[in-house]
């Protein structure tokens, strides 16, 4: 142990001989890059304590000397008053021998060592920086990369820990004298703010034409906004990568962006200036407002107002919700500031602003998000008209997160910027596990002790670029956490790139591998968040996952007991005419349902406009290329196809989302009498409900389908739980993104005395699958 002075009898620093104590204190959690050391420095000064504090691989370490009461006060205030972006997980305290002559408190340089801490996520601009950004007298007035220890990028510009400037993409920018003074002053808000910079020494903006020629512009932001307001599409470099931006109030611009990106009818997210602006288009309650304004700044799915589509035509067609977000980067704020007339101060941010911007990920053709300037010019050619960029590199691509309020609490649709790499506590410690996730909505997960670190959203592994992005994400996660896995986990589907990559990694590093059944992992992801250590009943509803019998599962009742599960029941199987094609064309699932009802003669005339409709009946009769599936997603598709809501999908889940929107517009409905039956093998069959949907209006049919589905699942789950003697039910899988299903079923099961668990910290869809795989692997390794 190093010493600043010789060991001596305990006495006060003024030599009075009063009793002194000295403690070595270790703080773990998110405590680097969030202003924790200067916070401790200020506390020590206020409490007249001597000693030092520093960063190291494990978090923050300090030695503190003074009266015992003052040391206790330091510990209490360190936890209670921690900086807003800090998360204190543990504080360890050990007695040391007091040192003679130890006066004052210092902040020491960082040390290395085994890394057990975590870098903080990227956060939106804090109020203090906004005050400077809009103060014409401040030297950072309208500086597009303003930040401090309480805000700005962290994860996306960090190569590895410790979180020091040399380990970030700011390493090449030498601070000017004024910035360096801020950086070195423990009492300053920018003390060791690693991205610290100003217009004189920091990264600069540039407006670039599609041909790569830089526009001669005195104010790139103002010129970019002018292009946006005149209908152009501008690629703007944000915190985690580029976004494609256009005026959301301009239908022609929105349609042009949709066509260039080949996006079909998939909804766009819209950025507005503040909550007051969001309320011009959607219903925003207190919980939704808090989520919109959270430092993580996710896209929040909100119920549209009745006239929202008049103002945002083509943004989210045929859906009852719209994804809204507030600015997260200073550059975003500057666009709204220009449109508002560049007022001084921040009062203008409390008033509704008219500007609304489509803000969508810049990733053509389902490829990974564009993060590099040169790459942007090449990959976004033909999509973007101009580029508003800066020369601070994004080291880690990170899409915007998507969340909603469910039963009064936030729930994820996509977990990425702002939340990665926040740890998820998993209840028990185990060996480090690296889980590779799924083919769709891929994210990977690495555990360390009792923490799980779910990566940012990677995407569907449908092209080589996204597969390479997954490999890079694996390497970066291991690097930034300084953790090497001892177990590997993956899905059981052998054709998935994620599964193949997991096997290659395990073989190359001679590590044990566990292949986790898809729906077991869905339930495992829910249980990973919960302090549950007993068997539960899991209801997994999704689009598809390989079952243990080699068929496509997706509507499963499972008894889950840690690393083992038993299939207790499933939805009645539907045939998939044309195989995977049926998952993209709901009219085929409608044809499958009609065939099962003995009404094949209706298929050809009903779907005469669909190519191949005249042959589907014969195909189903022969069973050729018509594999069975128990997928809940395909039952939704069949209902949508029969009601004429959606016959061909342009994006995943479109049919179910449109069906839900119609049901929401219609309002409450009664369940279809006799709309389901459960056989002796515990198979739930909803065919009587589909038979009732073949006539009548679509909104009412959608509402009846949802009401019947909730009632049928309630009866099925409750009877199975009673037969198994289980009192806890976990709901997992992508179908639980449907609010009517998730919230309605949760309420009804709760009234029956069952404890209902749902995903909160990870997406309930395949984006959370790696967390479930890791949880199952830890249970397998430890049990």
């Amino acid at each position: 142990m190093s010493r600043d002075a010789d060991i001596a009898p305990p006495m006060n620093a003024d030599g009075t001989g009063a009793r002194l104590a000295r403690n070595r204190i270790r703080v773990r959690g998110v405590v680097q890059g969030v202003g924790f050391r200067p916070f401790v420095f200020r506390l020590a000064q206020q409490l007249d304590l001597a000693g030092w504090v520093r960063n190291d691989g494990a978090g923050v370490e300090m030695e503190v000397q003074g009266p015992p009461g003052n040391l206790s006060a330091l510990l209490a205030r360190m936890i209670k008053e921690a900086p807003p972006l800090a998360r204190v997980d543990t504080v360890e305290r050990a007695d040391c021998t007091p040192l003679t002559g130890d006066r004052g408190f210092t902040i020491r340089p960082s040390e290395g060592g085994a890394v057990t801490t975590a870098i903080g996520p990227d956060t939106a601009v804090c109020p203090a920086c906004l005050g400077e950004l809009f103060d014409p007298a401040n030297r950072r007035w309208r500086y597009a990369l303003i930040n401090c220890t309480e805000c700005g990028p962290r994860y996306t510009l960090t190569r590895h820990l410790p979180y020091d400037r040399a380990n970030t993409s700011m390493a090449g920018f030498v601070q000017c004298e004024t910035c360096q003074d801020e950086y070195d002053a423990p009492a300053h808000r920018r003390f060791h703010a690693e991205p610290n910079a100003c217009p004189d020494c920091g990264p600069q903006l540039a407006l670039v034409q599609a041909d790569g020629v830089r526009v001669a512009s005195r104010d790139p932001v103002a010129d970019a906004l002018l292009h946006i307001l005149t209908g152009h599409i501008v690629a703007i470099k944000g915190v985690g990568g580029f976004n494609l931006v256009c005026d959301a109030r301009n239908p022609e611009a929105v349609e042009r962006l949709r066509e260039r990106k080949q996006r079909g009818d998939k909804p766009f997210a819209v950025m507005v200036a503040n909550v007051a602006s969001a309320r011009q288009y959607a219903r925003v309650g207190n919980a939704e407002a808090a989520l919109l304004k959270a430092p993580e700044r996710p896209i929040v799915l909100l119920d549209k107002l009745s006239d929202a589509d008049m103002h945002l035509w083509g943004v989210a067609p045929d859906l009852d919700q719209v994804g809204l977000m507030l600015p997260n980067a200073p550059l975003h704020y500057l666009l709204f500031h220009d449109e508002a007339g560049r007022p001084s101060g921040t009062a203008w941010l409390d008033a509704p602003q008219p500007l609304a911007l489509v803000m969508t990920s810049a990733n053509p053709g389902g490829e990974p998000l564009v993060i590099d300037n040169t790459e942007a010019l090449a990959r976004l050619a033909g999509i973007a008209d101009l580029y508003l960029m800066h020369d601070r590199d994004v080291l880690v691509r990170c899409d915007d997160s998507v969340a909603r309020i469910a039963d009064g609490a936030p729930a994820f649709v996509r977990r990425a910027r702002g939340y990665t790499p926040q740890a998820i506590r998993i209840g028990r410690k185990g060996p480090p596990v690296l889980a590779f996730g799924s083919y769709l909505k891929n994210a990977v997960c690495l555990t360390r002790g009792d923490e799980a670190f779910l990566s940012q959203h990677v995407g569907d592994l449908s092209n080589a670029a996204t597969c390479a992005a997954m490999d890079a994400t694996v390497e970066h996660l291991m690097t930034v956490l300084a953790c090497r896995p001892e177990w590997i986990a993956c899905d059981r589907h052998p054709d998935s790139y994620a599964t193949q990559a997991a096997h290659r990694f395990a073989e190359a590093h001679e590590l044990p591998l566990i292949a986790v059944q898809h729906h077991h992992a869905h339930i495992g992801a829910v249980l990973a968040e919960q302090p549950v250590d007993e068997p539960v009943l899991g209801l997994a509803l999704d689009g598809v996952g390989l079952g243990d019998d080699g068929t496509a599962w997706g509507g499963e009742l499972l008894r889950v007991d840690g690393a083992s599960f038993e299939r207790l029941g499933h939805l009645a199987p539907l045939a998939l005419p044309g195989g995977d094609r049926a998952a993209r064309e709901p009219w085929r699932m409608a044809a499958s349902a009609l065939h099962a009802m003995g009404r094949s003669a209706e298929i050809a005339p009903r779907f005469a406009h669909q190519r191949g409709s005249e042959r589907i009946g014969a195909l189903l009769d022969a069973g050729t290329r018509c594999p069975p599936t128990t997928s809940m997603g395909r039952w939704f598709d069949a209902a949508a196809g029969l009601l004429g809501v959606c016959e061909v999908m342009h994006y995943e889940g479109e049919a179910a989302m449109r069906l839900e929107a119609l049901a929401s517009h219609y309002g409450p409905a009664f369940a279809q009498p006799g709309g389901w039956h459960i056989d002796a093998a515990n198979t739930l069959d909803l065919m009587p409900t589909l038979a009732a949907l073949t006539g009548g209006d679509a909104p009412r049919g959608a509402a009846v389908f949802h009401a019947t589905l909730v009632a049928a699942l309630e009866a099925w789950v409750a009877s199975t739980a009673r037969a198994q003697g289980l009192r806890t039910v976990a709901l997992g899988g992508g179908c639980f993104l449907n609010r009517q299903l998730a919230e309605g079923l949760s309420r009804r099961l709760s009234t029956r005395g069952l404890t209902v668990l749902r995903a909160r910290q990870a997406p309930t869809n395949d984006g959370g699958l790696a967390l479930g795989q890791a949880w199952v692997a830890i249970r397998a390794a430890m049990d």
Side-chain angles (χ1 to χ4, degrees):
M1 182 182 298
S2 62
R3 290 293 184 228
D4 296 312
D6 296 331
I7 297 175
M11 63 169 46
N12 214 342
D14 60 8
T16 60
R19 181 169 176 266
L20 285 181
R22 188 177 184 92
N23 290 162
R24 171 159 284 194
I25 300 170
R26 155 75 59 207
V27 184
R28 303 179 192 272
V30 180
V31 289
Q32 293 190 14
V34 293
F36 200 85
R37 289 176 300 164
F39 161 68
V40 171
F41 176 88
R42 292 191 291 271
L43 286 183
Q45 287 189 321
Q46 294 170 17
L47 296 169
D48 195 27
L49 298 173
W52 52 264
V53 62
R54 68 185 173 198
N55 282 344
D56 65 8
V60 169
E61 181 186 35
M62 66 192 80
E63 282 194 12
V64 189
Q65 179 170 304
N70 292 25
L71 292 178
S72 297
L74 173 74
L75 288 171
R77 292 181 63 184
M78 204 160 52
I79 298 171
K80 185 178 180 181
E81 302 172 17
L85 300 184
R87 191 196 74 224
V88 177
D89 291 337
T90 62
V91 177
E92 301 163 10
R93 174 182 181 179
D95 290 331
C96 303
T97 304
L99 305 179
T100 297
D102 192 5
R103 293 178 175 83
F105 196 86
T106 61
I107 298 178
R108 290 184 171 180
S110 299
E111 282 204 348
V115 175
T116 58
T117 188
I119 190 65
D122 306 317
T123 57
V125 194
C126 69
C129 283
L130 285 177
E132 296 175 344
L133 189 65
F134 302 128
D135 178 3
N138 191 278
R139 71 190 191 95
R140 290 188 175 88
W141 179 68
R142 289 183 58 82
Y143 180 53
L145 290 101
I146 191 172
N147 67 90
C148 70
T149 54
E150 296 181 4
C151 68
R154 299 288 189 276
Y155 181 68
T156 53
L157 54 67
T158 303
R159 290 185 175 87
H160 55 81
L161 291 175
Y163 177 64
D164 289 326
R165 193 178 181 98
N167 298 331
T168 74
S169 59
M170 288 296 292
F173 293 93
V174 179
Q175 297 181 82
C176 65
E177 184 177 348
T178 306
C179 284
Q180 190 68 51
D181 287 344
E182 295 171 340
Y183 184 87
D184 292 336
H188 201 280
R189 193 174 94 251
R190 292 190 169 89
F191 175 76
H192 279 248
E194 306 306 345
N196 187 39
C198 74
D200 293 333
C201 64
Q204 302 295 313
L205 287 180
L207 187 63
V208 180
Q209 297 175 167
D211 59 5
V213 176
R214 183 167 178 163
V215 177
S217 171
R218 296 181 61 184
D219 192 326
V221 176
D223 288 345
L225 178 63
L226 179 61
H227 282 281
I228 291 170
L229 294 178
T230 53
H232 291 106
I233 298 166
V234 179
I236 297 179
K237 190 176 186 179
V239 172
F242 279 82
N243 291 104
L244 293 166
V245 181
C246 72
D247 187 348
R249 304 161 300 172
N250 184 332
E252 291 81 10
V254 173
E255 184 61 25
R256 191 179 305 117
L257 177 56
R258 194 175 290 285
E259 290 176 356
R260 290 183 184 181
K261 204 180 175 189
Q262 299 179 359
R263 191 179 175 88
D265 289 336
K266 190 174 182 180
F268 285 123
V270 174
M271 180 177 285
V272 293
N274 49 35
V275 171
S277 302
R279 288 190 168 122
Q280 297 175 124
Y281 310 111
R283 296 181 181 87
V284 184
N286 291 337
E288 288 83 3
L291 186 56
L292 279 168
K293 294 188 295 184
E296 296 84 359
R297 287 293 199 277
I299 298 167
V300 181
L301 299 181
L302 300 164
D303 291 335
K304 289 179 182 175
L305 295 180
S306 58
D307 62 346
D309 287 332
M310 294 175 56
H311 303 289
L312 303 176
W313 186 89
V315 165
D318 298 319
L319 301 179
D320 62 330
Q321 290 195 311
V322 61
L324 298 181
M325 65 189 300
L326 304 191
N328 61 77
L331 183 52
H332 300 148
Y333 274 104
L334 293 180
L335 293 167
F336 290 95
H337 188 232
D338 259 332
E339 172 69 359
R342 297 194 177 186
S344 298
T346 57
W348 66 278
L349 279 172
D350 295 328
Q353 302 296 323
L355 183 62
L357 300 172
V358 165
M359 190 73 57
T360 189
S361 302
N363 55 337
E367 296 179 2
L369 180 68
V370 173
I371 60 174
D372 178 75
N373 292 351
T374 302
E375 174 193 25
L377 293 169
R379 290 179 57 203
L380 301 179
I383 302 177
D385 297 310
L386 287 101
Y387 301 79
L388 182 59
M389 56 180 64
H390 54 76
D391 53 349
R392 184 182 70 197
D393 290 340
V394 176
L395 299 181
V396 184
R397 57 176 49 87
C398 213
D399 273 296
D400 296 316
S401 295
V402 183
R404 63 171 16 136
I405 296 297
D407 287 332
F412 285 104
V413 177
R414 183 171 75 193
R415 192 177 193 267
R417 181 191 50 75
Y419 296 95
T420 302
Q422 290 183 13
I424 298 172
R425 294 282 180 177
I426 53 177
R428 63 164 62 189
K429 292 185 177 181
V433 174
L434 175 60
F436 279 74
S438 183
Y439 169 78
L440 294 175
K441 300 176 181 63
N442 180 265
V444 300
C445 183
L446 181 61
T447 68
R448 193 178 65 189
D450 63 349
E451 295 179 316
F453 297 88
L454 192 62
S455 80
Q456 69 274 26
H457 167 83
V458 175
D460 297 350
L461 302 179
S462 57
N463 56 70
T466 309
C467 293
M470 187 204 75
D471 294 337
T473 300
V474 167
E475 291 299 324
H476 181 262
L477 204 58
M478 292 189 298
T479 298
V480 81
L481 296 175
C483 180
R484 305 297 298 186
E486 296 177 10
W487 281 70
I488 304 300
C490 65
D491 193 71
R492 289 185 180 174
H493 200 301
D495 296 333
S496 167
Y497 178 83
T499 300
Q500 295 167 359
H503 280 270
R504 286 195 299 270
F505 191 99
E507 182 178 351
H509 296 86
E510 299 182 340
L511 296 174
L513 179 145
I514 177 170
V516 183
Q517 197 279 324
H518 190 90
H519 301 95
H520 186 193
H522 269 312
I523 303 305
V526 178
L527 298 179
E529 300 184 27
Q530 311 289 341
V532 177
D533 200 18
E534 60 192 32
V536 304
L537 182 62
L539 176 61
L541 304 177
D542 68 355
V544 66
L546 181 64
D548 283 354
D549 59 1
T551 64
W553 291 5
E556 313 304 315
L557 264 182
L558 310 176
R559 180 187 177 97
V560 175
D561 187 4
S564 64
F565 80 94
E566 178 186 1
R567 192 187 194 197
L568 301 176
H570 55 80
L571 293 180
L574 288 172
L576 289 166
D580 290 343
R581 188 171 177 180
R584 301 186 297 272
E585 300 180 6
W587 76 269
R588 291 174 176 266
M589 295 312 304
S592 176
L594 289 171
H595 179 268
M597 298 173 202
R599 297 160 57 180
S600 292
E602 298 178 28
I603 297 174
R606 181 187 284 261
F607 300 111
H609 53 288
Q610 295 293 347
R611 184 178 178 183
S613 60
E614 72 282 359
R615 298 190 299 273
I616 289 291
L619 197 69
L620 287 161
D621 285 338
T624 305
R625 295 182 58 234
C626 295
T629 180
T630 59
S631 165
M632 183 74 253
R634 300 295 78 79
W635 281 89
F636 271 102
D637 291 348
L642 288 168
L643 290 169
V645 172
C646 180
E647 293 187 358
V648 176
M649 291 193 289
H650 300 94
Y651 60 90
E652 186 193 5
E654 180 181 4
M657 292 167 67
R658 290 191 175 193
L659 200 67
E660 181 186 6
L662 281 177
S664 297
H665 283 307
Y666 184 86
F670 290 108
Q672 179 69 30
W676 74 90
H677 58 80
I678 303 169
D679 66 16
N682 207 25
T683 299
L684 173 62
D685 191 350
L686 298 164
M687 195 60 71
T689 297
L690 293 190
L693 299 183
T694 55
D697 66 285
R700 181 183 179 279
V704 168
F705 177 78
H706 278 81
T708 308
L709 177 60
V710 170
L713 291 172
E714 175 198 6
W716 191 37
V717 170
S719 64
T720 306
R722 185 167 55 249
Q724 291 287 318
L726 301 173
R727 305 300 303 168
T728 301
V729 179
L731 308 179
C735 290
F736 285 109
L737 292 175
N738 183 306
R739 290 179 300 160
Q740 292 206 19
L741 172 59
E743 295 179 13
L745 183 58
S746 295
R747 285 193 297 269
R748 295 179 71 148
L749 292 176
S750 295
T751 61
R752 287 178 173 261
L754 294 169
T755 299
V756 179
L757 307 178
R758 286 161 55 191
R760 292 296 182 186
Q761 298 183 69
T764 193
N765 57 28
D766 282 5
L769 206 69
L771 174 63
Q773 293 169 352
W775 181 83
V776 172
I778 287 175
R779 297 299 298 257
M782 300 299 292
D783 291 349

